[in-house]
């Protein structure tokens, strides 16, 4: 069937089995390979993307569920790797093999949006679904804290959190 | 030809080439474009060896011939060469080397990269520098000794003249290449980039999703295959029905793969491949396959009964590989004998990126793109599978989403090659996580019996170490009794100030593909020895740290005679250069216990456990703290590590490896364990025996590196072995429960 999704701000149309996990639609049909396959059962978090601003595991989310909704992948988190988390990750040498890090960053970005000053416990709760076999956890925690400290929270006028990712600034066509 | 361009075939570095508009539905990895943009230059310039090229433009290309799997080798080796050369990193391109024997060994395994080629790699930079200086000296009619190279230029300080590397490249290329022994390495203090914080080369690509791992390689017309492999190693397809699979939209073909023959080595397992337009169709197609298997002789493999067989094997004397004094006589005379049997199950690799490979076969050659630790093994194995010579196989190395030893076995590359040949189009073979768990080359399963004889004063006078495990050699058709090579890891090289010592290898038959996992046999040997020393301390009422010191004896370099062995494989390095240095092992124990406030632990109300281990020519000691959580479960809340790897080139990546080793060691200590029933692996994903430590379980971790000018030792693996025994000993300190098997979850609530 034909499915329409907004991916990183761009309207995309694809022909797919509605049950195809969003992960494979992104990787195989839309050519967005930054979202990684790690387990296929929502156990590792390597495939984490935002669906209407909420972090989800794309490996178990049928693509049809994303119909008419906004998907943000690591490629759309910032146009040039300038999201504060991406910068902190590089500066602090967080990645080892790097395979899980797109998923870690997407989960962390969603956490900071909801909770700009998370405690260790908040971080642990939010990121417990993201495995890292290289064991970069201590640096992941540090990097999130550093970003949280560097950016003072900017509450919305209505005091509510927003469901759109304000860091998505790239509107140009991407493959 | 001494100074021409590099005689290399099609070297490409894998980079995602952004696909601009133009109606392409898929993001294609453009191989030709990638090769053109980032292969080593073939044109004019200076290239005295296969690692370095200096172009007339001044651009320096440096090959990283080892695989990047998280250890940061791409951020380290080329920088070492560039530093020795005096290059400006902004003008250096790093090229990932394909498989090619011209580079020497490329197997990124055994924590070997820096420790085996530290000087060789510096030599590559130094040779290039020497030639650039010689060219400059010739032009200026001055002595080369009066010149120096730095900041991408050669200077003659006396006259204030200087020339850029690029301006010298063509002239330098006309000069004879100096013999390696005549090339002077810079004094280490002259190096300005290494030994200090160094940038993470691939960092920006990792965090933006641009990094190209195995599954990210896409070729025009490429199909994707998912394979149903025999659940039991050595099993065969009796019959299969592909009707339903072929009805799944997107499935193109179903193909039976050839069956392997013993020894399994790196051959694919066989089975039935479903080839489709994309991954999801291939997965659905495989689910729809109807296959009847002939499970073969390994269908009897059952972890419960095998453990009994290992225990039985330990009751009989094994093959003696280490002997000093007379252990049996000393045990018979001992005032007290303490004995314990330890068990460690098969352990999975489970790198975050499951195995995957892309292959294309055209006109008698095969090109492979894969996350591989060993591209030369890819050439050899794919060549063998296709019946073509290795040099007809081009093995490109992508980034690895973790390796841990799994990706030094290229069975998955041969699968892709066989299917690509059969179909005449490029094929990607994608392993699912279930495939990864069920068809792993597991770390072996081991039982160890340790026996100590104590005299009337409680002094240990006899030490017998018996180990039963199917050795790695069985994978290649070798015997089922662990030999000296299998026992070198923490048994033959474990220094003991005990007059009577004996180590034996006991028979254990293999029923699956025995592989090697990060730290390999050291994992279970360190667990057994580290736990046993803690038991002896408790038995005698002595402090565990003091007990370690007493058993190790004074600082010294333990001789072969003292160890009671004729030779030590010593991880491929000469003993003269890398001795069994008891002082260094004592040193890390001393340091880590000071870091952890060991002496104040009772006052601090903490339950700490200690262990130390020499492996891969480095020395690691760990202290773990275990606490009881309000829910009654035990948790590791803090870990301290002291590490002595001799010379450290990239301290931050070494720290990262040690931090990671704590988590890796915790996963196998607490949860890890692969079990067999009816010959098949019972685990299939990151749960139960495949459960891994998560961020909410990650302890506060403190790592200190010993400053040393000793030759570099290994880094990736040696941090792992002491973690499990340190945790088990801390569990004992807290609860009084002694766990003699891993994972600890089988004994205590964690």
């Amino acid at each position: 069937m034909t499915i329409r999704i907004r991916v990183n701000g761009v309207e995309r149309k694809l022909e797919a089995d509605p049950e195809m996990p969003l992960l494979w639609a992104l990787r195989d049909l839309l050519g967005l390979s930054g979202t990684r396959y790690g387990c296929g059962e929502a156990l590792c978090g390597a495939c984490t993307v935002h669906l209407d601003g909420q972090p989800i595991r794309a490996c178990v989310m049928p693509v049809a569920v994303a119909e008419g909704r906004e998907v943000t992948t690591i490629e759309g988190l910032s146009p040039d790797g300038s999201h504060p988390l991406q910068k902190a990750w590089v500066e602090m040498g967080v990645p080892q093999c790097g395979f899980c890090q797109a998923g870690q960053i997407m989960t962390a970005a969603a956490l900071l949006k909801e909770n700009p000053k998370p405690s260790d416990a908040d971080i642990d709760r939010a990121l417990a679904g993201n495995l890292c076999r290289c064991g970069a956890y201590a640096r992941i925690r540090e990097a999130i804290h550093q970003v949280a400290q560097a950016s003072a929270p900017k509450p919305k006028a209505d005091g509510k959190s927003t469901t759109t990712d304000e860091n998505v600034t790239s509107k140009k066509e991407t493959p | 030809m001494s100074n021409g361009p590099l005689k290399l075939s099609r070297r490409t570095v894998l980079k995602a080439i952004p696909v601009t508009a133009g109606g392409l539905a898929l993001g294609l990895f453009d191989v030709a474009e990638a090769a053109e943009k980032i292969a080593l230059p073939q044109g004019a310039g200076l290239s005295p060896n296969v690692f370095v090229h200096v172009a007339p433009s001044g651009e320096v290309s440096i090959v990283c011939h080892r695989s990047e799997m998280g250890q940061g080798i791409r951020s380290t080796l080329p920088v070492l060469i560039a530093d020795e050369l005096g290059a400006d990193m902004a003008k250096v391109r790093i090229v990932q080397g394909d498989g090619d024997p011209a580079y020497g060994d490329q197997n990124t395994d055994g924590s070997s990269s820096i420790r085996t080629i530290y000087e060789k790699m510096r030599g590559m930079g130094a040779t290039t520098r020497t030639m650039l200086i010689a060219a400059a000296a010739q032009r200026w009619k001055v002595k080369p000794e009066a010149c120096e190279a730095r900041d991408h230029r050669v200077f003659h300080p006396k006259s204030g003249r200087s020339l850029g590397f690029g301006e010298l490249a063509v002239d330098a290329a006309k000069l004879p290449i100096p013999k390696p022994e005549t090339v002077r390495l810079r004094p280490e203090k002259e190096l300005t980039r290494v030994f200090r914080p160094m940038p993470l080369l691939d960092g920006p690509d990792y965090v933006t999703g641009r990094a190209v791992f195995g599954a990210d390689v896409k070729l025009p017309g490429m199909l994707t295959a998912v394979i149903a492999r025999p659940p039991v190693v050595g099993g065969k397809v009796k019959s299969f029905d592909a009707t339903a699979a072929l009805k799944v939209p997107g499935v193109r073909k179903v193909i039976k793969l050839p069956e392997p023959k013993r020894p399994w080595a790196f051959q694919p397992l066989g089975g039935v491949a479903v080839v489709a337009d994309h991954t999801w169709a291939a997965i659905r197609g495989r689910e729809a396959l109807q296959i009847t298997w002939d499970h073969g002789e390994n269908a009897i493999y059952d972890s419960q009964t095998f453990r009994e067989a290992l225990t039985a094997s330990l009751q009989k004397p094994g093959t003696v590989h280490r002997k000093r004094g007379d252990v049996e006589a000393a045990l018979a005379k001992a005032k007290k004998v303490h004995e314990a049997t330890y068990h460690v199950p098969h352990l999975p690799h489970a790198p975050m990126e499951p195995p995957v490979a892309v292959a294309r076969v055209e006109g008698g050659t095969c090109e492979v793109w894969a996350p591989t630790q060993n591209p030369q093994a890819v050439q050899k194995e794919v060549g063998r599978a296709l019946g073509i010579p290795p040099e007809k196989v081009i093995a490109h190395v992508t980034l690895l989403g973790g390796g841990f030893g799994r990706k030094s076995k290229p069975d998955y590359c041969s699968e892709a090659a066989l299917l690509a040949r059969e179909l005449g189009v490029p094929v990607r073979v994608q392993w699912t996580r279930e495939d990864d768990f069920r068809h792993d080359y597991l770390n072996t399963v081991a039982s160890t019996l340790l026996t100590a004889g104590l005299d009337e004063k409680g002094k240990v006078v006899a030490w017998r170490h018996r180990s039963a495990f199917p050795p790695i050699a069985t994978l290649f058709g070798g015997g089922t009794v662990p030999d000296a090579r299998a026992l070198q890891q923490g048994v033959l090289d474990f220094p003991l100030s005990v007059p009577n010592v004996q180590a034996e290898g006991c028979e254990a038959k293999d029923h699956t593909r025995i592989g090697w996992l990060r730290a390999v046999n050291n994992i279970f040997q360190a667990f057994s020895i580290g736990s046993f020393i803690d038991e002896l301390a408790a038995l005698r009422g002595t402090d565990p740290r003091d007990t370690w010191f007493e058993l190790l004896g004074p600082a010294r370099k333990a001789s072969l005679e003292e160890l009671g062995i004729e030779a030590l494989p010593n991880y491929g390095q000469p003993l003269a250069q890398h001795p069994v240095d008891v002082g260094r092992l004592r040193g890390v124990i001393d340091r880590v216990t000071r870091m952890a406030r060991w002496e104040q632990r009772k006052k601090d109300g903490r339950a700490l456990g200690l262990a130390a281990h020499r492996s891969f020519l480095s020395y690691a000691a760990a202290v773990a703290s275990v606490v009881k959580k309000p829910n009654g479960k035990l948790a590791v809340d803090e870990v301290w590590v002291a590490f002595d790897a001799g010379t450290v080139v990239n301290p931050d990546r070494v720290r990262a490896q040690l931090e990671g080793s704590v988590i890796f060691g915790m996963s196998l200590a607490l949860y890890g364990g692969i079990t067999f029933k009816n010959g098949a692996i019972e685990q299939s994903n990151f749960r139960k025996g495949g459960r891994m430590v998560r961020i909410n379980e990650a302890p506060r971790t403190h790592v200190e590196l010993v400053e040393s000018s000793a030759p570099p030792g290994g880094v990736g693996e040696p941090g792992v072995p002491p973690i499990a025994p340190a945790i088990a000993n801390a569990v004992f300190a807290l609860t009084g429960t002694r766990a003699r098997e891993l994972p600890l979850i089988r004994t205590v609530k964690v």
Side-chain angles (χ1 to χ4, degrees), chain B residues 320-328 330 451 460-465 491-492 494-504 551 562-565:
Chain B
V320 177
H321 292 291
R322 175 177 180 181
K323 189 173 167 63
R324 181 184 178 201
D326 187 338
V327 154
E328 300 304 336
T451 311
V460 178
V461 292
W463 178 285
R464 193 181 67 197
H465 186 127
V491 180
L492 303 188
F494 182 59
L496 273 166
S497 184
V498 173
N500 303 287
V501 178
Q502 187 159 306
E504 303 167 20
L551 284 164
E562 182 205 315
L563 292 168
I565 54 179

Side-chain angles (χ1 to χ4, degrees), chain B residues 601-620:
Chain B
R601 67 191 188 282
K602 298 228 163 74
K603 207 171 68 193
D604 294 347
R606 305 200 71 162
L608 303 184
L610 165 71
H613 197 72
R614 173 193 192 262
S615 66
F616 303 92
L617 313 173
S618 293
Y619 301 80

Side-chain angles (χ1 to χ4, degrees), chain B residues 233 262-266 269 298 301 306 345-347 349 405-406 408-409 439-446 469-480 486 508-517 520-521 524 676:
Chain B
V233 171
R262 259 184 182 276
W264 313 124
F266 298 150
L269 287 164
N298 287 326
Y301 195 29
F306 191 74
H346 283 298
L347 296 168
H349 296 86
R406 173 63 183 91
S408 55
K409 295 107 177 163
H439 306 295
D440 198 358
Y441 284 86
L442 297 166
N443 211 48
T444 197
V445 52
F469 56 93
I472 290 167
T474 56
L475 183 66
F476 306 103
T480 52
K509 188 170 158 39
D510 59 306
H511 294 283
T512 186
R513 303 193 296 182
I514 305 296
W516 48 95
L517 169 74
V520 204
N521 298 344
F524 54 83
F676 284 80

Side-chain angles (χ1 to χ4, degrees), chain B residues 534 542-546 548 589-590 592-604 606-611 622-624 640 726 729-730 733:
Chain B
D534 208 65
T542 49
D543 182 273
R545 181 193 58 181
D546 301 341
W548 273 90
I589 294 173
D590 180 60
V592 81
T593 47
R594 280 190 282 123
M595 287 164 68
R597 292 173 54 85
W598 179 264
E599 288 188 352
Q600 292 82 32
R601 67 191 188 282
K602 298 228 163 74
K603 207 171 68 193
D604 294 347
R606 305 200 71 162
L608 303 184
L610 165 71
V623 168
W640 298 262
N729 295 341

Side-chain angles (χ1 to χ4, degrees), chain B residues 18 41 54 108-109 151 190 196 203 240 288 312-313 323 354 405 414 420 434 456 536 556 573 603 614 640 642 652 659:
Chain B
V54 185
T108 315
D109 210 284
D151 304 329
E190 231 179 72
R196 46 178 68 70
F240 72 99
S313 182
K323 189 173 167 63
S414 298
E434 290 76 12
E456 57 283 350
L536 290 173
R556 67 197 182 282
Q573 298 296 304
K603 207 171 68 193
R614 173 193 192 262
W640 298 262
D652 183 62
E659 292 159 14

Side-chain angles (χ1 to χ4, degrees), chain B residues 612-673:
Chain B
H613 197 72
R614 173 193 192 262
S615 66
F616 303 92
L617 313 173
S618 293
Y619 301 80
V623 168
S625 164
V626 168
V627 293
K628 188 176 260 184
K629 292 189 292 186
N631 65 8
K633 288 188 176 182
L634 304 181
V636 182
D637 69 330
E638 198 159 3
V639 175
W640 298 262
V641 176
F643 187 56
D644 180 355
T647 301
V648 164
V649 178
N650 190 337
D652 183 62
R653 287 302 90 189
V654 173
R655 277 175 190 285
Q657 283 300 295
L658 272 291
E659 292 159 14
S661 294
V662 170
I663 303 297
F664 201 91
M666 272 179 70
S667 286
L668 66 91
L670 302 180
Y671 312 123

